[in-house]
Amino acid sequence: MILSKVCFTGLLISASIDGVLANDSTMARVPSGRYESFVPEKKTPGAPLQAPVLFVKTFDMDRTPVTNGQFLSFVLQNPAWQRDKASGLFTEPGYLLHWEEGLKTGPGAPLTSPVVNVSWFAARAYCRSLDKRLLTTAEWEYVAGPEFFGQTKADRENFLQLILEWYARPSPLVLQSVGQPTRHRLGMQDLHGLIWEWTSDFSSNIASTELRDNSSPDAAEFCGAATLGGKDPTNYASYMRFAFRSSLKGGFSLANLGFRCARDVAP
């Protein structure tokens, strides 16, 4: 199995790539590095497709997805995002549908489980309320890649196989708590095996040429189902993530889709 490549350059950290604590204990610092995108691009008209190498700056990232309890605190302080008050422009009828009531999560949504059934707009508003933001797709893929989970090729291929097995299982009606044991070298938890996660540019990376040329500034960000052209169709774990993102629109609310937040680090 051919894997996406991640190269770390100029990192003043140990060989084990230990995580550096951010100011917020719920976050960890991600060192800068380079991520070879799964999705190829044409550098010039008529040129062959090439996988762009993206530079990811140092940033802070939530160790776990946002929980029902955390999102409940948010909607209590921001009534406009409560289930019975949220605008239909930014949500759909399934918004927070798994909660028992508008301000009560109930047994189907334990406070320590990841919040799901939230739109991209609601996730973005939550992060902004904490002076944070959603991760970009490149940041998420960089941190969630196999290079952070294993030292050898065999380790990484086993890691990808476990992801595929999770993709094949139906989502449980009640999600388990966040913070499951992890082998991630930065201490990130629940990147795989629990939920899918929103990214700030969830579909722009895989838009077709026609979509990229659209003059609307929101076209590439919110119009799903764009043409998918991954550089390595044998890397099914990445392929499925990018295919899933391509099907999304900003107002969607899905029972296995949540999010976590990031924060820029001052130079």
Side-chain angles (χ1 to χ4, degrees), residues 100-118:
E100 186 172 312
E101 298 175 7
L103 295 177
K104 181 179 180 181
T105 60
L111 294 175
T112 57
S113 295
V115 67
V116 290
N117 288 318
V118 287

Side-chain angles (χ1 to χ4, degrees), residues 80-93:
W81 288 104
Q82 293 173 12
R83 186 172 72 181
D84 57 345
K85 297 179 181 179
S87 170
L89 293 174
F90 306 120
T91 61
E92 60 180 12

